[in-house]
Amino acid sequence: GTILNRIVRWTNDGLEYEADPRQAETLVDELGLQGAKGLSTPAVKPSIGSIRGDKKLSEDKVTHFRALAARANYLSADRPECQFAAKEICRFMAEPTVLSTEALKRLGRYLVKFPRLIYKYPFQTVVEGLDVYVDTDHAGCLRTRKSTSGGCIIVGRHLLKSWSSTQPTITLSSGEAELHGVVKGSANGLGFLSMLADFQITLPLRVWTDSSASKGICSRQGLGKVRHLDVQDLWIQQRLRNGDFSLYKIKGDDNPGDLFTKASLTYSRIEALLTMLGCIYQEGRAESAPALRHKGGEKRVLEAERRPRWSDENESDSEENSSNHGRDIGERAAIELLKRVGFPHSRARDYRKEQARDPYPELPECRDHMTDLGESIGRDNRGRSSLPQMKISRLRGSKEGC
């Protein structure tokens, strides 16, 4: 069946889910990439020279670019490996450039090769908790030197939410950038717990990061030596100390958050991360998918103003396994592979979490005797006429002395 044009299938082992195929087909069609050679990665990091030589897109192509960028952003909600590429493309919505058009073309060529991605949701009997994996690419944008935060929310072996976003401020260190990523992931995890509570489901929250610096900042109380940090990020220290969630340190190679923060991943790395998340490539088209309708009239195609020069160093790595691209490893084989590889949270006992601690005792506020006296007079007698005679004589004496 379909839900909001997404394809959902019941199987003997669980559920299968995939995006509306018309989104990818329309994107490829309007980019003029029918029959083009596909690429194995959705994005590539531009060089400094290409950024400096970039120029604005002509006015007659701006509207079409924005429409295709919005479509790519909509599609990326169901294609986790395309979220970083779509996010980088949408950053040029205000002022599209030739380089952003090339990035959009590359994403289209990736969809030519891999138009279909299947989510596998096998049945689960025991779920230990709600796990959030976060990662950050510090100063990864060569144009603005801003960092990228990414992560995903997983219940057992089911991927339920993922994101890739550019941090609004320029961070001064990788630890600070990773802290912002942990804060965003923790906020999403706590929000997801609140939603699960509406369904009478209670699960512990576990946050996983590959940064020792961010874990250290979250584990202590106060700013320490990083006084330039914004205090809006420090609520995580109190929530961690109160035991609202647990924070774990994992290796970078075991972190599926890499998929949402980097453009330099090889095809083999992307496939391994997708398999870890329970997603596999598949050829063909779903039988229950709605057909693509072609509109009449003149066809619009977004053409680049100069020939794209792809400098993907990972292309050789992917072409070696070209015979295996798009292979359907099978439903049961994918589930067995996921069981064998597993998430770090399936081996949570092997990791050391940050333990909850007693909150710092709050000191009582100092009492203001003048305020206490005024409150007692106002409460008991009200008005100047009821002041004690001794107080009145002192006030008169002080006035005569002046």
Side-chain angles (χ1 to χ4, degrees), residues 198-209:
D198 295 338
F199 296 96
Q200 305 299 320
I201 299 176
T202 303
L203 292 175
L205 175 61
R206 299 180 292 191
V207 181
W208 302 77
T209 177

Side-chain angles (χ1 to χ4, degrees), residues 202-230:
T202 303
L203 292 175
L205 175 61
R206 299 180 292 191
V207 181
W208 302 77
T209 177
D210 54 10
S211 171
S212 299
S214 63
K215 184 174 181 293
I217 296 174
C218 295
S219 302
R220 63 170 178 254
Q221 197 80 359
L223 291 171
K225 294 184 179 180
V226 286
R227 297 184 180 274
H228 60 278
L229 289 182
D230 198 340

Side-chain angles (χ1 to χ4, degrees), residues 17 27 63 69 101 133 139 141 157 161 177 181 225 227 240 247 256 264 269 299 303 310 326 345 349 351 363:
Y17 172 90
L27 196 61
T63 302
T101 306
Y133 291 88
C141 178
R157 288 178 289 160
K161 178 181 175 62
K225 294 184 179 180
R227 297 184 180 274
L240 183 62
L247 185 62
S264 57
R269 175 65 172 163
K299 180 181 177 180
E303 296 287 350
W310 309 112
H345 66 251
R349 297 177 182 177
Y351 294 88
L363 298 177

Side-chain angles (χ1 to χ4, degrees), residues 45 84 87-88 91 136-149 165-171 177:
K45 194 170 185 177
F84 177 81
K87 183 265 295 183
E88 289 295 309
R91 292 178 64 191
T136 302
D137 183 23
H138 175 238
C141 178
L142 300 180
R143 189 187 301 268
T144 62
R145 284 303 177 185
K146 290 185 177 181
S147 305
T148 297
S149 298
S165 59
T166 302
Q167 295 182 1
T169 58
I170 299 176
T171 53

Side-chain angles (χ1 to χ4, degrees), residues 149-169:
S149 298
C152 56
I153 297 178
I154 299 172
V155 176
R157 288 178 289 160
H158 296 173
L159 172 63
L160 300 183
K161 178 181 175 62
S162 59
W163 65 88
S164 178
S165 59
T166 302
Q167 295 182 1
T169 58

Side-chain angles (χ1 to χ4, degrees), residues 112-149:
V112 169
K113 194 162 195 174
F114 302 112
R116 193 179 180 190
L117 185 74
I118 309 296
Y119 288 72
K120 299 287 186 178
Y121 292 108
F123 293 124
Q124 300 182 121
T125 56
V126 178
V127 176
E128 296 182 356
L130 180 72
D131 296 277
V132 180
Y133 291 88
V134 295
D135 188 49
T136 302
D137 183 23
H138 175 238
C141 178
L142 300 180
R143 189 187 301 268
T144 62
R145 284 303 177 185
K146 290 185 177 181
S147 305
T148 297
S149 298

